[in-house]
Amino acid sequence: MPDARYAWWQTGVVYQIYPRSFKDTNGDGIGDLPGVIEKLDYLRETLGVDAIWLSPFYPSPQADFGYDVADYCDVDPQFGTLEDFDRLVAAAHRRGLKLIVDFVPNHTSDQHRWFKESRSARTSPKRDWYVWRDPKPDGSPPNNWLSVFGGGAWEWDESTEQFYLHSFLKEQPDLNWRNPEVKAAMFDVLRFWLARGVDGFRIDVAHAFMKDPALRDNPPNPHEGTFHKPMGEYDTQLHLYDKAHPDIHPIYREIRRLIDSYDPPRVSIGEMHIYDWEKWVRYYGEDLDELHMPFNFALLNTAWEAAAVRATVDALEAALPEGAWPNYVLNNHDETRFVTREGAAQARVAAVLLLTLRGTPTLYYGEELGMAEVDVPRERQQDPWGFRSLPELTRDGCRTPMPWDASRSAGFSDAPPERLWLPLGDDYKTVNVEHELREPRSMLHLYRKLLALRSESPALHQGPYCPIDEAPEDCFVFLREAGDEKILVALNFSSDAQQVALPTPGCLLLSSHLDRDEEKVEDTLTLRGHEAVVVRLGG
Ligand code: NOJ
Ligand code: CA
């Protein structure tokens, strides 16, 4: 029975689908919405997640693979139709799965009719829907802002002789949220999808769609880097004025009021590239009346060492105001896959961590198989970030097709491998769903068991987090407790065996190696190299 004190998005686990890469049903080499419908039983019954977050499937020229939206209220024919979407909502809900969609407020596509109108003339009624400015007297752009994807953030428009702002590609002009008509139109977009039954939104660039109204120059950056990874020229500035403007908070309060007016409860999750806990927590709202959860990306840039990971979790717990709900992420469509960042053995320990911490975990498709980053040859690369900025910033390697079986296109598509939008990984004959279901100790079985354990255990999905100080240096050990259930999680970050003292005897519920079920433990627990265990204390 679900516990009424907690919402579904607190007790459940979210699974991110990148629609182009999940399952193709019409043989064009690109995943689609009917493909997602086909795999719902996998997600719910086989794997055991509670909610899906779909990256954008809206009409789009695909300059940034859907994050350049040309119509917020429709489905791109590449992915299906609105009817397919309605079928998906119904089919997900029938299985008890929630559906979260992406909301992209910072920018539209340059092919959106709003932008076409806006750019048509300085006198267009939609001119002010985007950020247009005159050049400086010397003809240069209005300020020094940079595009995340490389180069300057201003594009010159020949015919109307002004610059427009684009924080990402020039094909992604920034909307002007200070114009009340823009806000009203974007709230209508939220209402459109809420009325179609979606259970919430993942908000793109949630920290940056309000900027300094005076468009002041960013100061130079005296440190190295500004983000969680080196971003080339973008790192040369402190992004003081082009993101995180406080005027965003009243908008989140309004979005929250809208979302909370729907029943059953819906969720808002914001993409939040803010790496200062104090600033990050503000997006929950002073009265917890803004985002339900700003995404917490801290584990993406924490060194994979026991002390560092514990410090990150402790810092988050300390920063959270009473009642604010934590969340964790190891992978997404913008990041090098964990297996490649840290290693395959480490990924099993990370799976145990992610699914036993306090707070909502978000998985990324293929994470449950231990998919590694694919080295996509130059001639098959797609991501504009890799072309326009540093080549190593390409995100193609984490967006390759989901391998379902060992057939020639991995059961992802009937198209031949060379016609898939991105190539398969070399290891797909063994790293695929069918194969891993047959292998009792596979990564897939580890995720399945962890998900089942988390959903059955109130301590794991509700209980407080309590770190244990007396752990060996290379181990991170913590307790989760609810009612009379007491669970201890012990993670060994080293390749050497470690001894962990237990407060009371217990029984092993799971080892990341999947070979110690039901083992009784007395006062000392021995962990093998890169082993993580979940122990029920007291029985
Ligand atoms: C963040 C998204 O996650 C990323 O994929 C996209 O390219 C940018 N925002 C721009 O929308
Ligand atoms: Ca397709």
Side-chain angles (χ1 to χ4, degrees), residues 85-114:
F85 182 82
D86 291 341
R87 283 198 299 126
L88 171 57
V89 174
H93 286 172
R94 257 199 315 279
R95 289 167 176 81
L97 271 170
K98 303 285 187 181
L99 190 69
I100 297 166
V101 298
D102 227 296
F103 177 57
V104 187
N106 184 68
H107 45 265
T108 67
S109 158
D110 63 349
Q111 298 307 307
H112 197 295
R113 67 183 165 77
W114 298 344

Side-chain angles (χ1 to χ4, degrees), residues 249-263:
H249 296 291
I251 298 183
Y252 280 134
R253 287 196 282 277
E254 266 186 74
I255 291 183
R256 178 62 176 269
R257 278 200 297 279
L258 173 70
I259 288 183
D260 282 354
S261 69
Y262 286 76
D263 190 54

Side-chain angles (χ1 to χ4, degrees), residues 261-280:
S261 69
Y262 286 76
D263 190 54
R266 319 284 163 111
V267 70
S268 52
I269 309 173
E271 184 201 19
M272 199 57 61
H273 287 291
I274 298 215
Y275 298 93
D276 170 324
W277 292 114
E278 233 176 89
K279 294 188 180 139
W280 175 83

Side-chain angles (χ1 to χ4, degrees), residues 326-354:
N327 74 90
Y328 293 92
V329 174
L330 293 174
N331 290 286
N332 66 36
H333 64 297
D334 295 327
E335 303 298 331
T336 304
R337 285 191 182 262
F338 186 93
V339 166
T340 304
R341 294 200 316 265
E342 305 295 347
Q346 288 81 348
R348 294 181 78 105
V349 176
V352 176
L353 174 75
L354 179 71

Side-chain angles (χ1 to χ4, degrees), residues 16 18 53 55 64 67-68 102 104 106-107 149 168 172 202 204-205 271 273 332-334 383 385 395 399:
Q16 180 192 356
Y18 196 66
W53 151 32
S55 282
D64 188 22
Y67 283 97
D68 48 323
D102 227 296
V104 187
N106 184 68
H107 45 265
F149 287 161
F168 294 86
Q172 295 168 295
R202 174 272 187 187
D204 189 61
V205 195
E271 184 201 19
H273 287 291
N332 66 36
H333 64 297
D334 295 327
D383 183 15
W385 200 352
R395 298 163 295 178
R399 297 174 171 181

